[in-house]
Amino acid sequence: MSALSVFVIFLLCIVISIPIGISLVIVTVLPGAFDPSFTAGGTYVMRSMLGGIDSFPLLAVPMFVLSGTIMAKGGISKKLFDVFSYFLGGLTAGLPCAVIVTCLFFGAISGSGPATVAAVGSMTIPILTGLGYDKGFSTAVVAVAGGLGVIIPPSIPFIMYGTASEESVSQLFIAGIIPGILISVLLMIYAFYYCKKNGEDKEKINSVVKGLRDKGFWKVFKESFFAVLTPVIILGCIYSGAASPTEAVVVSVFYALLVSILIYKTLKPSEILGVFLDSLKTYTPILFILAASMAFSRMLTLMQVSQVISDWILATFSSKVVILIAINIFLLLVGMVMDTTPAILILTPILLPLVTNIGVDPIHFGVIMVVNLAIGFVTPPIGVNLFVASSLSKIPVMTISKKAIPMIGFFLIALLIITYVPAVSLILIQ
């Protein structure tokens, strides 16, 4: 069976709505079923699935899911929003910008785009619409800014890429800092333009900001201190060498529990079991997809797919600039129809040898890949952030998509800068 047949069958499985994990298992066992001499038989596939998830760095993923769930239930996002609103609320587009910065910080806690949208959006969308902002715009801001959750460290997709590429997860985290800040700045520029063009209800906004400022800086900061400290503790443990990314996220789980139960008292001990069950329901499908993706990528390696694709692209395109454009377009299309985790685990073994052949640093490519797939979070038909935001605001997905188009444009500008200016990603690790 040829590699092309494998991919065609895989696409057909997706089109007829077979779950992606099961689709991956089907196409992984087919070559061995049609050709008994092919190495990847049923036993090999099972061993690859179990061996693929037997990885210490991957233990961070369920811990990130649990930590993000605890902090979402514990109202950490509200504390973050209050402190940023205190400083930015009086400016033009101050509160939408505060939402973007809150997504940036919460992303440094949860490591997940959809988790960031759920935690920040459930609290900020009603606030923004109550202050006179268009509901579609408010929802789109949260949906697009939620993509920062997978770019700003720590990030679940970076862990996946590090596992697939055998690159340092800590270096990938560091490489995501400046790109995440760049994207957030560009999104805030668009929010400023939108609010200048469409106007704001300054009377309502000033009343909310005045309520925060009447408390005084120290009271607001005191109330938000432990929330703001969360990413500092997680990243501080990693970059100081005190803990690996996996160990640091375990620290964040205990910290989240202590802050939510004992300090803010927003989470009751009786609710902890429900939080664990919610996290388990979220992680279990990821685990199966992860195992199936590992087996699929090993099957592709045996079929030498990456070498065939690399040779074809290098023979077709001679310019590094054109090759990177082609790869970006391909990743953007993949992000529209496939979730981040399987996309990274499937495509990294295929594309990484190609980009290293043209002189692209593997860490830099990891950032390019994750930014591309983050854009997929807000592009139909599979844009997960759009569906999460739609469930929060009760606005149709396509309506949110239309409002998000200009912000996606700014996201694409950031992608071009990140792609062709490697220093944006690599300057902090060189």
Side-chain angles (χ1 to χ4, degrees), residues 350-411:
I350 296 173
L351 297 177
L352 188 58
L354 168 61
V355 296
T356 52
N357 279 343
I358 61 173
V360 177
D361 186 279
I363 298 292
H364 178 211
F365 181 65
V367 177
I368 293 172
M369 176 175 273
V370 171
V371 171
N372 269 290
L373 296 174
I375 295 173
F377 277 130
V378 284
T379 49
I382 310 292
V384 180
N385 284 11
L386 294 175
F387 286 96
V388 174
S390 176
S391 69
L392 296 173
S393 63
K394 309 304 178 187
I395 295 178
V397 167
M398 292 311 297
T399 302
I400 303 171
S401 300
K402 292 175 183 176
K403 290 288 186 179
I405 287 173
M407 286 177 272
I408 295 172
F410 278 81
F411 225 123

Coordinates of all heavy atoms in Angstrom, one line a residue, residues 350-411:
I350 N 7.4 14.4 9.5 CA 7.5 14.6 8.1 C 8.2 15.9 7.7 O 9.0 15.9 6.8 CB 6.0 14.6 7.5 CG1 5.3 13.2 7.8 CG2 6.0 14.9 6.0 CD1 3.9 13.2 7.4
L351 N 7.8 17.0 8.4 CA 8.3 18.3 8.0 C 9.7 18.7 8.6 O 10.4 19.5 7.9 CB 7.3 19.4 8.3 CG 5.9 19.3 7.6 CD1 5.0 20.3 8.1 CD2 6.1 19.4 6.1
L352 N 10.0 18.2 9.7 CA 11.2 18.6 10.4 C 12.5 18.3 9.6 O 13.3 19.2 9.5 CB 11.3 18.0 11.8 CG 12.4 18.5 12.7 CD1 12.4 20.0 12.9 CD2 12.4 17.8 14.1
P353 N 12.6 17.1 9.0 CA 13.8 16.9 8.2 C 13.9 17.8 7.0 O 15.0 18.2 6.6 CB 13.6 15.4 7.7 CG 12.7 14.8 8.7 CD 11.8 15.9 9.1
L354 N 12.8 18.2 6.4 CA 12.8 19.1 5.3 C 13.3 20.5 5.7 O 14.1 21.1 5.0 CB 11.3 19.2 4.8 CG 11.1 20.4 3.7 CD1 11.9 20.2 2.5 CD2 9.6 20.4 3.4
V355 N 12.7 21.0 6.8 CA 13.1 22.4 7.2 C 14.6 22.5 7.7 O 15.3 23.5 7.5 CB 12.2 23.0 8.2 CG1 10.8 23.2 7.6 CG2 12.1 22.2 9.5
T356 N 15.0 21.4 8.3 CA 16.4 21.4 8.7 C 17.4 21.3 7.5 O 18.5 21.9 7.6 CB 16.7 20.2 9.7 OG1 16.3 19.0 9.1 CG2 16.0 20.4 11.0
N357 N 16.9 20.7 6.4 CA 17.7 20.7 5.2 C 17.9 22.0 4.6 O 18.9 22.3 3.9 CB 17.0 19.7 4.2 CG 17.3 18.3 4.4 OD1 18.2 17.9 5.1 ND2 16.5 17.4 3.8
I358 N 16.9 22.9 4.8 CA 17.0 24.3 4.2 C 17.6 25.3 5.3 O 17.5 26.5 5.1 CB 15.7 24.8 3.6 CG1 14.6 24.8 4.7 CG2 15.3 23.9 2.5 CD1 13.3 25.4 4.2
G359 N 18.0 24.8 6.4 CA 18.7 25.6 7.4 C 17.8 26.3 8.4 O 18.2 27.3 9.1
V360 N 16.6 25.8 8.7 CA 15.7 26.3 9.7 C 16.0 25.6 11.0 O 16.0 24.4 11.1 CB 14.2 26.1 9.3 CG1 13.3 26.6 10.4 CG2 13.9 26.9 8.0
D361 N 16.2 26.4 12.1 CA 16.4 25.8 13.4 C 15.2 25.0 13.9 O 14.1 25.5 13.7 CB 16.7 26.9 14.4 CG 17.2 26.4 15.7 OD1 16.3 26.1 16.5 OD2 18.4 26.4 16.0
P362 N 15.4 23.8 14.4 CA 14.2 23.0 14.9 C 13.4 23.7 15.9 O 12.1 23.6 15.9 CB 14.8 21.8 15.5 CG 16.2 21.7 14.8 CD 16.6 23.1 14.6
I363 N 14.0 24.5 16.8 CA 13.2 25.3 17.8 C 12.4 26.4 17.1 O 11.2 26.5 17.4 CB 14.2 25.9 18.9 CG1 14.9 24.8 19.6 CG2 13.4 26.8 19.8 CD1 14.1 24.0 20.5
H364 N 13.0 27.0 16.2 CA 12.3 28.1 15.4 C 11.1 27.5 14.7 O 10.0 28.0 14.7 CB 13.3 28.7 14.4 CG 12.7 29.8 13.6 ND1 13.1 30.0 12.3 CD2 11.6 30.6 13.7 CE1 12.4 31.0 11.7 NE2 11.4 31.4 12.6
F365 N 11.3 26.3 14.1 CA 10.2 25.7 13.3 C 9.1 25.2 14.3 O 7.9 25.3 13.9 CB 10.7 24.5 12.6 CG 9.7 23.8 11.8 CD1 9.0 24.4 10.7 CD2 9.2 22.5 12.1 CE1 8.0 23.8 10.0 CE2 8.2 21.9 11.4 CZ 7.6 22.5 10.3
G366 N 9.4 24.8 15.5 CA 8.4 24.5 16.5 C 7.5 25.7 16.8 O 6.3 25.5 16.8
V367 N 8.1 26.9 16.9 CA 7.3 28.1 17.1 C 6.4 28.3 15.9 O 5.2 28.7 16.0 CB 8.2 29.3 17.4 CG1 7.3 30.5 17.6 CG2 9.0 29.0 18.7
I368 N 7.0 28.2 14.7 CA 6.2 28.4 13.4 C 5.0 27.5 13.4 O 3.9 27.9 13.1 CB 7.1 28.2 12.2 CG1 8.2 29.3 12.1 CG2 6.3 28.2 10.9 CD1 9.2 29.1 11.0
M369 N 5.3 26.2 13.7 CA 4.2 25.2 13.6 C 3.1 25.5 14.6 O 1.9 25.5 14.3 CB 4.8 23.8 13.9 CG 3.7 22.7 13.9 SD 4.5 21.1 14.0 CE 4.7 20.7 12.3
V370 N 3.4 25.9 15.8 CA 2.4 26.1 16.9 C 1.6 27.4 16.6 O 0.4 27.4 16.8 CB 3.1 26.2 18.3 CG1 2.1 26.6 19.3 CG2 3.7 24.8 18.7
V371 N 2.3 28.4 16.1 CA 1.6 29.7 15.7 C 0.6 29.4 14.6 O -0.6 29.8 14.6 CB 2.5 30.8 15.3 CG1 1.8 32.0 14.8 CG2 3.4 31.2 16.5
N372 N 1.0 28.6 13.6 CA 0.1 28.2 12.5 C -1.1 27.5 13.0 O -2.3 27.8 12.7 CB 0.8 27.3 11.5 CG 1.5 28.1 10.4 OD1 0.8 28.6 9.5 ND2 2.8 28.1 10.4
L373 N -0.9 26.5 13.9 CA -2.0 25.7 14.4 C -2.9 26.5 15.4 O -4.1 26.2 15.6 CB -1.5 24.4 15.0 CG -0.7 23.5 14.0 CD1 -0.1 22.3 14.7 CD2 -1.7 23.0 12.9
A374 N -2.3 27.5 16.1 CA -3.1 28.4 16.9 C -4.1 29.2 16.1 O -5.2 29.4 16.6 CB -2.1 29.3 17.7
I375 N -3.7 29.6 14.9 CA -4.6 30.3 14.0 C -5.8 29.3 13.7 O -6.9 29.8 13.5 CB -3.9 30.8 12.8 CG1 -2.9 31.8 13.1 CG2 -4.9 31.4 11.7 CD1 -2.0 32.3 12.0
G376 N -5.5 28.0 13.6 CA -6.5 27.0 13.3 C -7.6 27.0 14.4 O -8.7 26.5 14.1
F377 N -7.2 27.4 15.6 CA -8.2 27.4 16.7 C -9.4 28.4 16.4 O -10.5 28.2 17.0 CB -7.6 27.9 18.0 CG -6.8 26.8 18.7 CD1 -5.6 27.0 19.2 CD2 -7.4 25.6 19.0 CE1 -4.9 26.1 19.9 CE2 -6.8 24.6 19.7 CZ -5.5 24.9 20.2
V378 N -9.2 29.4 15.5 CA -10.2 30.3 15.2 C -10.6 30.4 13.7 O -11.1 31.4 13.2 CB -9.8 31.8 15.7 CG1 -9.9 31.9 17.2 CG2 -8.4 32.1 15.2
T379 N -10.4 29.3 13.0 CA -10.8 29.2 11.6 C -11.7 28.0 11.4 O -11.4 26.9 11.9 CB -9.6 29.0 10.7 OG1 -8.7 28.0 11.2 CG2 -8.8 30.3 10.6
P380 N -12.9 28.2 10.9 CA -13.8 27.0 10.6 C -13.1 26.0 9.7 O -12.2 26.4 8.9 CB -15.0 27.7 9.9 CG -14.9 29.2 10.3 CD -13.4 29.4 10.4
P381 N -13.5 24.8 9.6 CA -14.7 24.2 10.3 C -14.5 23.7 11.7 O -15.4 23.4 12.4 CB -15.2 23.1 9.4 CG -13.9 22.6 8.8 CD -13.0 23.8 8.6
I382 N -13.2 23.5 12.1 CA -12.9 22.8 13.3 C -12.4 23.8 14.4 O -11.9 23.3 15.4 CB -11.8 21.7 13.1 CG1 -12.2 20.8 11.9 CG2 -11.6 20.8 14.3 CD1 -13.4 20.0 12.2
G383 N -12.5 25.1 14.2 CA -11.9 26.0 15.1 C -12.5 25.9 16.5 O -13.6 26.3 16.8
V384 N -11.7 25.2 17.4 CA -12.2 24.8 18.7 C -12.6 26.0 19.5 O -13.6 26.1 20.2 CB -11.2 23.9 19.5 CG1 -11.7 23.6 20.9 CG2 -10.9 22.7 18.7
N385 N -11.7 27.1 19.5 CA -12.0 28.3 20.3 C -13.3 28.9 19.9 O -14.0 29.5 20.7 CB -10.9 29.3 20.1 CG -9.6 28.9 20.8 OD1 -9.5 27.8 21.4 ND2 -8.6 29.8 20.9
L386 N -13.6 28.9 18.6 CA -14.9 29.4 18.1 C -16.1 28.7 18.7 O -17.1 29.4 19.1 CB -15.0 29.3 16.6 CG -14.0 30.1 15.7 CD1 -14.2 29.8 14.3 CD2 -14.2 31.6 16.0
F387 N -16.0 27.4 18.8 CA -17.1 26.7 19.4 C -17.3 26.9 20.9 O -18.4 27.0 21.4 CB -17.0 25.2 19.1 CG -17.3 24.8 17.7 CD1 -16.3 24.7 16.7 CD2 -18.6 24.6 17.2 CE1 -16.5 24.4 15.4 CE2 -18.9 24.3 15.9 CZ -17.8 24.2 15.0
V388 N -16.1 27.0 21.6 CA -16.1 27.3 23.0 C -16.7 28.7 23.2 O -17.6 28.8 24.1 CB -14.7 27.2 23.6 CG1 -14.7 27.6 25.1 CG2 -14.2 25.8 23.5
A389 N -16.2 29.6 22.5 CA -16.7 31.0 22.6 C -18.2 31.1 22.3 O -19.0 31.8 22.9 CB -15.9 32.0 21.7
S390 N -18.7 30.4 21.2 CA -20.1 30.3 20.8 C -20.9 29.8 21.9 O -22.0 30.3 22.2 CB -20.2 29.5 19.6 OG -21.6 29.4 19.2
S391 N -20.5 28.7 22.6 CA -21.2 28.2 23.7 C -21.4 29.1 24.9 O -22.4 29.1 25.6 CB -20.6 26.8 24.2 OG -19.4 27.1 24.8
L392 N -20.4 30.0 25.0 CA -20.4 31.0 26.1 C -21.4 32.1 25.8 O -22.1 32.6 26.7 CB -19.0 31.5 26.4 CG -18.0 30.5 26.9 CD1 -16.6 31.2 27.0 CD2 -18.4 29.9 28.3
S393 N -21.3 32.6 24.6 CA -22.1 33.8 24.2 C -23.4 33.6 23.5 O -24.2 34.5 23.3 CB -21.2 34.7 23.3 OG -20.9 34.0 22.1
K394 N -23.6 32.3 23.1 CA -24.8 31.9 22.3 C -24.9 32.6 20.9 O -26.0 32.8 20.4 CB -26.1 32.2 23.1 CG -26.1 31.6 24.5 CD -25.9 30.1 24.5 CE -25.8 29.6 26.0 NZ -25.4 28.2 26.0
I395 N -23.7 33.0 20.4 CA -23.7 33.6 19.1 C -23.2 32.5 18.1 O -22.3 31.8 18.4 CB -22.7 34.8 19.1 CG1 -23.2 35.9 20.0 CG2 -22.4 35.3 17.7 CD1 -22.2 37.1 20.1
P396 N -23.8 32.5 16.9 CA -23.4 31.4 15.9 C -21.9 31.5 15.6 O -21.3 32.6 15.6 CB -24.3 31.8 14.7 CG -25.4 32.5 15.2 CD -24.9 33.3 16.4
V397 N -21.3 30.4 15.3 CA -19.9 30.3 15.0 C -19.5 31.2 13.9 O -18.5 31.9 13.9 CB -19.5 28.9 14.8 CG1 -18.1 28.8 14.2 CG2 -19.5 28.1 16.1
M398 N -20.3 31.2 12.8 CA -20.0 32.0 11.6 C -20.0 33.5 11.9 O -19.2 34.2 11.3 CB -20.9 31.6 10.5 CG -20.7 30.2 9.9 SD -18.9 29.8 9.6 CE -18.5 31.0 8.3
T399 N -20.9 33.9 12.8 CA -20.9 35.3 13.2 C -19.6 35.7 13.9 O -19.1 36.8 13.6 CB -22.1 35.6 14.1 OG1 -23.3 35.2 13.4 CG2 -22.2 37.1 14.5
I400 N -19.2 34.9 14.8 CA -17.9 35.1 15.5 C -16.8 35.1 14.5 O -15.9 36.0 14.6 CB -17.7 34.1 16.6 CG1 -18.8 34.1 17.6 CG2 -16.4 34.4 17.3 CD1 -18.8 32.9 18.6
S401 N -16.8 34.2 13.5 CA -15.7 34.1 12.5 C -15.6 35.4 11.8 O -14.5 35.9 11.5 CB -16.0 32.9 11.6 OG -16.1 31.7 12.3
K402 N -16.7 36.0 11.3 CA -16.7 37.2 10.6 C -16.0 38.4 11.4 O -15.2 39.1 10.9 CB -18.1 37.6 10.1 CG -18.7 36.7 9.1 CD -20.1 37.0 8.8 CE -20.7 36.0 7.8 NZ -22.2 36.3 7.5
K403 N -16.4 38.4 12.7 CA -15.8 39.5 13.5 C -14.3 39.2 13.8 O -13.5 40.1 14.1 CB -16.5 39.5 14.9 CG -17.9 40.1 14.8 CD -17.9 41.6 14.5 CE -19.3 42.1 14.6 NZ -19.4 43.6 14.4
A404 N -13.9 37.9 13.7 CA -12.5 37.5 14.0 C -11.6 37.7 12.8 O -10.4 37.8 13.0 CB -12.5 36.1 14.5
I405 N -12.1 37.9 11.6 CA -11.3 37.9 10.4 C -10.2 39.0 10.5 O -9.0 38.7 10.2 CB -12.2 38.1 9.1 CG1 -12.9 36.8 8.8 CG2 -11.3 38.5 7.9 CD1 -13.9 36.9 7.7
P406 N -10.5 40.3 10.9 CA -9.4 41.3 10.9 C -8.3 40.9 12.0 O -7.2 41.1 11.7 CB -10.2 42.5 11.4 CG -11.6 42.3 11.0 CD -11.8 40.9 11.2
M407 N -8.8 40.3 13.1 CA -7.8 39.9 14.1 C -6.9 38.7 13.6 O -5.7 38.6 13.9 CB -8.5 39.5 15.4 CG -9.0 40.7 16.2 SD -10.0 40.3 17.7 CE -11.6 40.1 17.0
I408 N -7.5 37.8 12.8 CA -6.8 36.7 12.2 C -5.7 37.3 11.3 O -4.6 36.8 11.2 CB -7.7 35.7 11.5 CG1 -8.6 35.0 12.5 CG2 -6.9 34.7 10.7 CD1 -9.7 34.2 11.9
G409 N -6.1 38.4 10.6 CA -5.2 39.1 9.7 C -3.9 39.5 10.5 O -2.8 39.4 10.0
F410 N -4.1 40.1 11.6 CA -3.0 40.6 12.5 C -2.2 39.4 13.0 O -1.0 39.4 13.1 CB -3.5 41.4 13.6 CG -3.8 42.8 13.3 CD1 -5.0 43.2 12.6 CD2 -2.8 43.8 13.5 CE1 -5.2 44.5 12.3 CE2 -3.1 45.2 13.2 CZ -4.3 45.5 12.6
F411 N -2.9 38.3 13.2 CA -2.2 37.0 13.6 C -1.3 36.6 12.5 O -0.1 36.1 12.7 CB -3.3 36.0 13.9 CG -3.0 35.2 15.2 CD1 -4.0 35.1 16.2 CD2 -1.8 34.4 15.3 CE1 -3.7 34.4 17.3 CE2 -1.6 33.7 16.5 CZ -2.6 33.6 17.5

